[in-house]
């Protein structure tokens, strides 16, 4: 079974430029997450989707960040314009839903996209 | 709000030593789940174990064991006879059943992580 796929793996841009990250979750997983991981820190949730609906985007800085999951499968996270402080690893994860109750199902993570803003 | 604290930033051991990674959590929910994830140098977090708040039985899986104590809000992870391949960053995480406002269920709150280095 293929894991969570993310691209690109690395991205270097200059500040004020736009950038987009793509994620394809494990087949059949209806829940998709985007996390931000700063160096030396644990991941922090940016947004969670149940199918195509964003059910928790309270941590997403909406002035410059946006995300979409149009057909309930793959997803794109965008930053426009990027700032120096956005340099981090952006992780995508998926889980198989809430069959075990909310919060129960383990999340499967992709390798992440390491963003460097110069 | 939920919080996870991993007080040990870095641990260095020699191969075959036993090592325990500490995790302390805070939550107001009575139903919650605790997880441990491993992040090797490749960057991909790997799920190790899940525990629900009603199951305080300790668990052993090969060289790994977990000690969950609700009385001290701790969920510690022990690696017995450590190996070089165990070198990674280990994260403890908490997921609430309901969460604040009813919308944060399923949200994993991670600790800061513990960098484990096992020397040959």
């Amino acid at each position: 079974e293929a894991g969570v796929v993310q691209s690109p793996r690395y991205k270097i841009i200059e500040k004020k430029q736009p950038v987009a990250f793509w994620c394809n979750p494990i087949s059949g997983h209806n829940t998709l997450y985007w996390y931000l991981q700063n160096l030396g820190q644990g991941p922090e949730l940016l947004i969670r989707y149940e199918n195509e609906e964003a059910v928790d985007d309270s941590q997403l800085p909406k002035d410059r960040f946006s995300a979409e999951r149009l057909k309930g499968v793959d997803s794109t996270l965008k930053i426009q314009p990027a700032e120096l402080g956005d340099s981090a690893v952006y992780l995508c994860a998926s889980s198989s839903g809430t069959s075990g109750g909310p919060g129960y199902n383990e999340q499967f993570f992709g390798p992440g996209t390491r963003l460097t803003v110069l | 709000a939920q919080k996870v604290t991993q007080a040990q930033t870095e641990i260095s051991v020699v191969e075959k030593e036993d090592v325990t990674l500490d995790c302390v959590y805070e939550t107001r929910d009575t139903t919650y789940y605790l997880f441990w994830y491993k992040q090797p140098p490749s960057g991909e977090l790997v799920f190790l174990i899940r525990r629900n708040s009603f199951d305080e039985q300790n668990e052993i899986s090969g060289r790994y064991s977990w000690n969950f104590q609700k009385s001290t809000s701790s969920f510690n992870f022990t690696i017995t006879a450590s190996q070089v391949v165990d070198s990674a960053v280990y994260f403890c995480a908490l997921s609430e059943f309901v969460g604040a406002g009813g919308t944060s269920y399923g949200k994993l709150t991670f600790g800061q992580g513990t960098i484990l280095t096992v020397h040959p």
Side-chain angles (χ1 to χ4, degrees):
Chain A
E1 179 184 279
V4 176
V5 179
Q6 289 189 249
S7 68
R9 290 294 312 276
Y10 305 91
K11 188 75 176 178
I12 301 174
I13 61 172
E14 301 210 338
K15 63 181 180 182
K16 300 185 182 180
Q17 295 299 305
V19 64
F21 315 123
W22 177 79
C23 171
N24 192 37
I26 292 173
S27 177
H29 282 192
N30 57 316
T31 307
L32 184 147
Y33 312 78
W34 282 103
Y35 288 88
L36 164 71
Q37 186 176 20
N38 286 307
L39 187 65
Q41 304 289 320
E44 298 173 33
L45 181 70
L46 289 172
I47 188 168
R48 175 168 67 95
Y49 283 93
E50 296 289 343
N51 299 304
E52 61 273 8
E53 181 183 0
V55 296
D56 184 0
D57 63 355
S58 56
Q59 303 301 311
L60 189 72
K62 298 181 184 63
D63 56 337
R64 297 183 300 106
F65 286 66
S66 64
E68 61 183 15
R69 193 185 185 199
L70 293 176
K71 295 183 180 178
V73 180
D74 57 347
S75 176
T76 303
L77 178 68
K78 298 178 181 177
I79 308 175
Q80 181 170 13
E83 297 179 351
L84 294 177
D86 296 331
S87 294
V89 175
Y90 292 82
L91 295 165
C92 179
S94 68
S95 67
S96 60
T98 58
S99 60
Y104 175 82
N105 296 295
E106 67 265 31
Q107 297 177 23
F108 295 83
F109 285 79
T113 296
R114 182 176 297 276
L115 173 67
T116 302
V117 182
L118 302 175
Chain B
Q2 56 193 41
K3 183 180 179 182
V4 176
T5 301
Q6 295 178 254
Q8 304 148 309
T9 304
E10 291 191 58
I11 299 176
S12 182
V13 299
V14 176
E15 208 168 20
K16 297 185 183 177
E17 281 186 37
D18 298 348
V19 58
T20 295
L21 284 61
D22 297 333
C23 172
V24 175
Y25 63 92
E26 296 175 29
T27 177
R28 289 188 226 173
D29 276 14
T30 55
T31 302
Y32 52 88
Y33 306 95
L34 294 163
F35 299 79
W36 275 94
Y37 280 84
K38 174 182 180 180
Q39 188 173 40
S42 61
E44 201 162 323
L45 280 97
V46 176
F47 165 79
L48 295 178
I49 191 172
R50 170 188 49 236
R51 257 296 173 259
N52 75 51
S53 51
F54 297 107
D55 183 1
E56 284 194 75
Q57 282 192 350
N58 292 331
E59 180 152 342
I60 298 175
S61 176
R63 297 184 296 107
Y64 295 170
S65 63
W66 291 269
N67 180 270
F68 174 31
Q69 291 193 343
K70 284 181 76 171
S71 60
T72 56
S73 298
S74 65
F75 185 44
N76 297 336
F77 173 30
T78 297
I79 302 175
T80 303
S82 58
Q83 300 176 1
V84 173
V85 293
D86 295 327
S87 297
V89 184
Y90 290 86
F91 290 97
C92 181
L94 167 70
S95 176
E96 293 175 333
F97 187 83
V98 176
T103 61
S104 64
Y105 60 86
K107 171 185 173 181
L108 272 180
T109 295
F110 287 84
Q112 304 274 67
T114 297
I115 302 171
L116 174 64
T117 304
V118 182
H119 299 281

